[in-house]
Tab-separated table of all heavy atoms in Angstrom:
chain	number	residue	atom	x	y	z
A	1	GLY	N	43.435	21.165	-167.487
A	1	GLY	CA	42.249	21.915	-166.944
A	1	GLY	C	40.988	21.618	-167.784
A	1	GLY	O	39.820	21.359	-167.318
A	2	SER	N	41.104	21.585	-169.136
A	2	SER	CA	40.040	21.351	-170.089
A	2	SER	C	39.547	19.885	-169.736
A	2	SER	O	38.351	19.536	-169.856
A	2	SER	CB	40.437	21.445	-171.466
A	2	SER	OG	40.740	22.815	-171.711
A	3	LEU	N	40.463	18.972	-169.517
A	3	LEU	CA	40.185	17.534	-169.266
A	3	LEU	C	39.522	17.351	-167.976
A	3	LEU	O	39.064	16.198	-167.661
A	3	LEU	CB	41.400	16.781	-169.466
A	3	LEU	CG	41.951	16.757	-170.931
A	3	LEU	CD1	43.326	15.984	-171.111
A	3	LEU	CD2	40.966	16.270	-171.876
A	4	GLN	N	39.498	18.314	-167.047
A	4	GLN	CA	38.594	18.169	-165.846
A	4	GLN	C	37.289	18.569	-166.162
A	4	GLN	O	36.341	18.167	-165.423
A	4	GLN	CB	39.283	19.072	-164.782
A	4	GLN	CG	40.560	18.656	-164.159
A	4	GLN	CD	41.199	19.608	-163.300
A	4	GLN	OE1	40.554	20.582	-162.878
A	4	GLN	NE2	42.502	19.470	-162.838
A	5	TYR	N	37.086	19.448	-167.221
A	5	TYR	CA	35.674	19.826	-167.632
A	5	TYR	C	35.040	18.757	-168.411
A	5	TYR	O	33.938	18.497	-168.291
A	5	TYR	CB	35.905	21.055	-168.386
A	5	TYR	CG	34.616	21.704	-168.876
A	5	TYR	CD1	33.698	22.337	-168.084
A	5	TYR	CD2	34.237	21.762	-170.248
A	5	TYR	CE1	32.536	22.962	-168.563
A	5	TYR	CE2	33.132	22.235	-170.821
A	5	TYR	CZ	32.311	22.802	-169.858
A	5	TYR	OH	31.076	23.392	-170.376
A	6	ALA	N	35.772	18.091	-169.382
A	6	ALA	CA	35.270	17.070	-170.116
A	6	ALA	C	36.542	16.091	-170.433
A	6	ALA	O	37.597	16.539	-170.778
A	6	ALA	CB	34.724	17.502	-171.513
A	7	ASP	N	36.420	14.892	-170.187
A	7	ASP	CA	37.625	13.986	-170.172
A	7	ASP	C	38.141	13.596	-171.541
A	7	ASP	O	37.623	14.089	-172.535
A	7	ASP	CB	37.400	12.779	-169.280
A	7	ASP	CG	36.387	11.749	-169.984
A	7	ASP	OD1	35.996	11.920	-171.044
A	7	ASP	OD2	35.935	10.873	-169.303
A	8	THR	N	39.201	12.987	-171.568
A	8	THR	CA	39.941	12.537	-172.890
A	8	THR	C	39.034	11.804	-173.822
A	8	THR	O	39.038	12.024	-174.975
A	8	THR	CB	41.231	11.768	-172.556
A	8	THR	OG1	40.876	10.629	-171.753
A	8	THR	CG2	42.182	12.608	-171.822
A	9	ASP	N	38.126	10.919	-173.329
A	9	ASP	CA	37.352	10.122	-174.269
A	9	ASP	C	36.325	11.037	-174.936
A	9	ASP	O	36.058	10.923	-176.153
A	9	ASP	CB	36.536	9.058	-173.418
A	9	ASP	CG	37.325	7.948	-172.937
A	9	ASP	OD1	38.465	7.713	-173.486
A	9	ASP	OD2	36.915	7.219	-172.009
A	10	LEU	N	35.749	11.960	-174.227
A	10	LEU	CA	34.719	12.959	-174.874
A	10	LEU	C	35.499	13.848	-175.950
A	10	LEU	O	34.991	14.106	-176.964
A	10	LEU	CB	34.096	13.803	-173.642
A	10	LEU	CG	32.936	14.698	-174.250
A	10	LEU	CD1	31.883	13.877	-175.095
A	10	LEU	CD2	32.212	15.401	-173.072
A	11	PHE	N	36.719	14.364	-175.511
A	11	PHE	CA	37.390	15.295	-176.451
A	11	PHE	C	37.735	14.474	-177.742
A	11	PHE	O	37.721	15.023	-178.757
A	11	PHE	CB	38.464	16.018	-175.815
A	11	PHE	CG	38.194	17.308	-175.239
A	11	PHE	CD1	38.093	17.509	-173.849
A	11	PHE	CD2	37.840	18.410	-176.019
A	11	PHE	CE1	37.789	18.686	-173.252
A	11	PHE	CE2	37.575	19.685	-175.530
A	11	PHE	CZ	37.457	19.803	-174.074
A	12	PHE	N	38.280	13.287	-177.443
A	12	PHE	CA	38.607	12.474	-178.647
A	12	PHE	C	37.491	12.175	-179.495
A	12	PHE	O	37.568	12.237	-180.678
A	12	PHE	CB	39.353	11.143	-178.173
A	12	PHE	CG	39.477	10.178	-179.243
A	12	PHE	CD1	40.523	10.314	-180.085
A	12	PHE	CD2	38.551	9.186	-179.546
A	12	PHE	CE1	40.768	9.437	-181.257
A	12	PHE	CE2	38.681	8.284	-180.558
A	12	PHE	CZ	39.732	8.424	-181.471
A	13	GLY	N	36.333	11.766	-178.838
A	13	GLY	CA	35.147	11.578	-179.663
A	13	GLY	C	34.667	12.722	-180.502
A	13	GLY	O	34.344	12.620	-181.789
A	14	MET	N	34.697	13.943	-179.963
A	14	MET	CA	34.399	15.168	-180.680
A	14	MET	C	35.328	15.427	-181.915
A	14	MET	O	35.007	15.613	-183.067
A	14	MET	CB	34.275	16.358	-179.821
A	14	MET	CG	33.114	16.412	-178.937
A	14	MET	SD	32.861	18.054	-178.056
A	14	MET	CE	34.451	18.146	-177.137
A	15	VAL	N	36.631	15.417	-181.537
A	15	VAL	CA	37.670	15.707	-182.518
A	15	VAL	C	37.674	14.662	-183.704
A	15	VAL	O	37.788	15.034	-184.837
A	15	VAL	CB	39.063	15.901	-181.867
A	15	VAL	CG1	40.092	16.257	-182.995
A	15	VAL	CG2	38.991	17.156	-180.938
A	16	ASN	N	37.638	13.355	-183.204
A	16	ASN	CA	37.639	12.327	-184.171
A	16	ASN	C	36.454	12.399	-185.149
A	16	ASN	O	36.568	12.134	-186.314
A	16	ASN	CB	37.631	10.909	-183.444
A	16	ASN	CG	37.952	9.833	-184.393
A	16	ASN	OD1	38.965	9.877	-185.106
A	16	ASN	ND2	37.165	8.856	-184.273
A	17	ALA	N	35.285	12.778	-184.578
A	17	ALA	CA	34.039	12.829	-185.512
A	17	ALA	C	34.254	13.913	-186.499
A	17	ALA	O	33.834	13.804	-187.662
A	17	ALA	CB	32.850	13.016	-184.502
A	18	VAL	N	34.690	15.056	-186.138
A	18	VAL	CA	34.843	16.239	-186.948
A	18	VAL	C	35.915	15.985	-187.973
A	18	VAL	O	35.835	16.193	-189.160
A	18	VAL	CB	35.115	17.544	-186.248
A	18	VAL	CG1	35.240	18.723	-187.220
A	18	VAL	CG2	33.902	17.754	-185.251
A	19	ALA	N	37.078	15.459	-187.481
A	19	ALA	CA	38.241	15.174	-188.324
A	19	ALA	C	38.059	14.122	-189.383
A	19	ALA	O	38.454	14.111	-190.519
A	19	ALA	CB	39.440	14.878	-187.516
A	20	GLY	N	37.127	13.198	-188.942
A	20	GLY	CA	36.878	12.069	-189.899
A	20	GLY	C	36.136	12.502	-191.150
A	20	GLY	O	36.147	11.760	-192.192
A	21	LYS	N	35.498	13.597	-191.216
A	21	LYS	CA	34.931	14.174	-192.272
A	21	LYS	C	35.681	15.171	-192.984
A	21	LYS	O	35.267	15.723	-194.138
A	21	LYS	CB	33.501	14.829	-191.887
A	21	LYS	CG	32.472	13.828	-191.244
A	21	LYS	CD	31.217	14.505	-190.876
A	21	LYS	CE	30.335	13.395	-190.257
A	21	LYS	NZ	28.984	14.088	-189.748
A	22	ALA	N	36.885	15.405	-192.551
A	22	ALA	CA	37.750	16.440	-193.125
A	22	ALA	C	38.675	15.970	-194.185
A	22	ALA	O	39.080	14.670	-194.118
A	22	ALA	CB	38.576	17.233	-192.008
A	23	LYS	N	39.107	16.703	-195.097
A	23	LYS	CA	40.112	16.228	-196.130
A	23	LYS	C	41.560	16.678	-195.674
A	23	LYS	O	42.464	16.310	-196.459
A	23	LYS	CB	39.642	16.905	-197.436
A	23	LYS	CG	38.302	16.384	-197.918
A	23	LYS	CD	38.047	17.047	-199.278
A	23	LYS	CE	36.636	16.532	-199.870
A	23	LYS	NZ	36.215	17.202	-201.037
A	24	VAL	N	41.648	17.465	-194.721
A	24	VAL	CA	43.022	17.931	-194.191
A	24	VAL	C	43.450	17.169	-193.130
A	24	VAL	O	42.630	16.597	-192.276
A	24	VAL	CB	42.956	19.484	-193.891
A	24	VAL	CG1	42.632	20.286	-195.018
A	24	VAL	CG2	41.982	19.646	-192.712
A	25	PRO	N	44.873	17.007	-192.834
A	25	PRO	CA	45.299	16.253	-191.714
A	25	PRO	C	45.122	17.097	-190.388
A	25	PRO	O	45.378	18.236	-190.270
A	25	PRO	CB	46.836	16.110	-191.993
A	25	PRO	CG	47.090	17.220	-192.955
A	25	PRO	CD	45.856	17.530	-193.759
A	26	VAL	N	44.507	16.337	-189.440
A	26	VAL	CA	44.311	16.797	-188.107
A	26	VAL	C	44.916	15.907	-187.029
A	26	VAL	O	44.699	14.711	-187.047
A	26	VAL	CB	42.742	16.855	-187.819
A	26	VAL	CG1	42.439	17.456	-186.543
A	26	VAL	CG2	42.099	17.757	-188.858
A	27	ALA	N	45.547	16.552	-186.110
A	27	ALA	CA	46.095	15.650	-185.032
A	27	ALA	C	45.504	16.274	-183.673
A	27	ALA	O	45.120	17.335	-183.576
A	27	ALA	CB	47.573	15.843	-184.874
A	28	LEU	N	45.362	15.249	-182.759
A	28	LEU	CA	44.865	15.643	-181.422
A	28	LEU	C	45.923	15.496	-180.422
A	28	LEU	O	46.506	14.397	-180.203
A	28	LEU	CB	43.625	14.745	-181.068
A	28	LEU	CG	43.012	14.905	-179.702
A	28	LEU	CD1	42.617	16.298	-179.462
A	28	LEU	CD2	41.925	13.846	-179.480
């Protein structure tokens, strides 16, 4: 349902951008 609101590319872009600056492990 969330991916009907904003697709996988957009969510990946957001999470990857935030996780890329983090020091802890993040999975999507």
Side-chain angles (χ1 to χ4, degrees):
S2 298
L3 295 175
Q4 292 175 5
Y5 180 71
D7 69 12
T8 54
D9 287 341
L10 184 52
F11 269 108
F12 171 80
M14 287 192 296
V15 176
N16 190 49
V18 178
K21 297 178 181 178
K23 296 178 181 178
V24 297
V26 181
L28 176 57

